[in-house]
């Protein structure tokens, strides 16, 4: 949800996310690598941006940090 909120502020019209590796257990919960693909509407067409980042999840599976 944090990725979507940030992207919409810049004109995003589409967002796809997927796990890019296994979920790993940590002392504080879990860690997973995510890949996000964002489609932006531009005056001359569209633009796609892609990024990979790590999410830290608590024991309940809620995102508590992203890098």
């Amino acid at each position: 949800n944090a990725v979507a909120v940030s992207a919409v502020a810049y004109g995003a019209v589409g967002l796809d996310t997927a796990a890019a590796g296994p979920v790993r257990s940590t002392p504080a919960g879990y860690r997973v690598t995510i890949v996000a693909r964002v489609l932006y509407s531009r005056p001359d067409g569209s633009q796609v941006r892609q990024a990979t980042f790590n999410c830290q999840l608590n024991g309940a599976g809620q995102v508590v940090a992203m890098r």
Side-chain angles (χ1 to χ4, degrees):
N1 194 23
V3 175
V5 170
S6 297
V8 166
Y10 292 98
V13 294
L15 172 67
D16 292 314
T17 58
V23 176
R24 300 184 194 282
S25 218
T26 69
Y30 306 96
R31 184 178 46 139
V32 64
T33 301
I34 301 291
V35 64
R37 184 173 182 262
V38 184
L39 175 65
Y40 294 96
S41 179
R42 299 291 183 238
D44 58 343
S46 61
Q47 177 184 32
V48 176
R49 304 299 296 271
Q50 187 167 320
T52 303
F53 51 92
N54 291 312
C55 285
Q56 181 67 42
L57 309 166
N58 63 17
Q62 298 169 319
V63 175
V64 293
M66 290 190 311
R67 286 183 247 183

